[in-house]
Amino acid sequence: MQDIRKPVIILVRPQMGENIGAAARAMLNFGLTEMRLVAPRDGWPNPKAVAMASGAAGRVLDHAKVYPDLASAMEGVDFAFATTARGRDLTKPVYTPATAMEKARGHDGRCALIFGPERAGLENEDVARANAIVTVPVNPDFPSLNLAQAVLLLGYEWGRDELPPEPAPLQRRPDGEVPADRVEIERLGDHYEEKLAEAGFFFPETKAANMRLNLRNMWSRLSLTRGDVRILHGVLRQLTRR
């Protein structure tokens, strides 16, 4: 059962199976699961799309529907956004991805995001069937986006309010990534101080106490992991072996 609150992704005349599979991955990254394909160039299903979708995103392709034209692919859609980087002679509101997806979230009916073929994008006849245009503000000297990149951008803007504000912390980390505790830092400082003293580093004697203090302060400022501490002990042992 598709979630009618989420936008439908419509790929119009997509050319490469790899791009369809990559678009499926981008969709699932942000919880979008309904893909509609309009006259895919290489037919459907496409093994290259499945290979690129890789794993869980394959279920997006499993449920993708194929239509002969855009008009039929917009079945059940109340409001559609056409994505294009080119200027158009058609009079329509033009939004950035952020503004467009804000409007989509506030729309009561079913929305669709329409993407054109890789080589030339949507034709005017396609754009005419949409209610509004979405254009990404990019470098005007190179405005072209890969199909999957465009899907990813709009998917991110759609799901942004539902995403966690910060990356989730790692629940399980290898021992080498665990922060070193104060005892481990102290032992590391002792090890270096001992070997530096043997090498005559603390000279002249009148400055030795301050040098030791500065070194100890330096160790406490560093955000070392247990793995870092082991490496630094090993480095010092190797350097002083002879």
Side-chain angles (χ1 to χ4, degrees), residues 185-222:
I185 299 295
E186 283 294 318
R187 288 174 180 167
L188 181 64
D190 291 343
H191 190 187
Y192 271 77
E193 192 170 314
E194 174 192 348
K195 297 302 181 182
L196 289 171
E198 292 176 3
F201 176 78
F202 300 109
F203 180 85
E205 185 63 31
T206 54
K207 296 184 178 180
N210 194 49
M211 294 170 73
R212 293 173 190 270
L213 179 63
N214 287 338
L215 273 173
R216 190 66 62 169
N217 186 49
M218 180 192 74
W219 292 121
S220 67
R221 290 201 315 268
L222 298 176

Side-chain angles (χ1 to χ4, degrees), residues 81-236:
F81 297 90
T83 60
T84 178
R86 293 184 289 154
R88 301 290 181 173
D89 297 329
L90 303 171
T91 302
K92 289 185 184 294
V94 180
Y95 301 118
T96 64
T99 303
M101 293 304 93
E102 181 180 355
K103 291 184 177 296
R105 286 191 294 272
H107 189 73
D108 290 334
R110 195 78 194 275
C111 291
L113 311 180
I114 306 172
F115 300 85
E118 296 90 322
R119 184 178 296 276
L122 294 170
E123 300 292 341
N124 280 345
E125 290 76 8
D126 303 317
V127 178
R129 288 186 163 82
N131 301 90
I133 290 173
V134 182
T135 296
V136 181
V138 295
N139 177 5
D141 294 328
F142 190 68
S144 177
L145 286 176
N146 174 274
L147 176 59
Q149 291 173 332
V151 173
L152 186 73
L153 272 173
L154 268 71
Y156 171 77
E157 292 296 347
W158 164 260
R160 187 169 60 174
D161 287 353
E162 300 178 7
L163 298 172
E166 297 291 341
L170 294 174
Q171 299 301 312
R172 285 181 152 183
R173 296 188 295 180
D175 184 62
E177 296 181 7
V178 174
D181 61 31
R182 298 315 311 166
V183 172
E184 291 166 327
I185 299 295
E186 283 294 318
R187 288 174 180 167
L188 181 64
D190 291 343
H191 190 187
Y192 271 77
E193 192 170 314
E194 174 192 348
K195 297 302 181 182
L196 289 171
E198 292 176 3
F201 176 78
F202 300 109
F203 180 85
E205 185 63 31
T206 54
K207 296 184 178 180
N210 194 49
M211 294 170 73
R212 293 173 190 270
L213 179 63
N214 287 338
L215 273 173
R216 190 66 62 169
N217 186 49
M218 180 192 74
W219 292 121
S220 67
R221 290 201 315 268
L222 298 176
S223 299
L224 298 173
T225 66
R226 288 179 176 173
D228 296 332
V229 169
R230 285 197 293 268
I231 289 173
L232 289 170
H233 277 299
V235 168
L236 188 57

Side-chain angles (χ1 to χ4, degrees), residues 66-88:
V66 180
Y67 297 83
D69 52 51
L70 179 57
S72 58
M74 293 176 67
E75 177 187 5
V77 171
D78 302 295
F79 197 96
F81 297 90
T83 60
T84 178
R86 293 184 289 154
R88 301 290 181 173

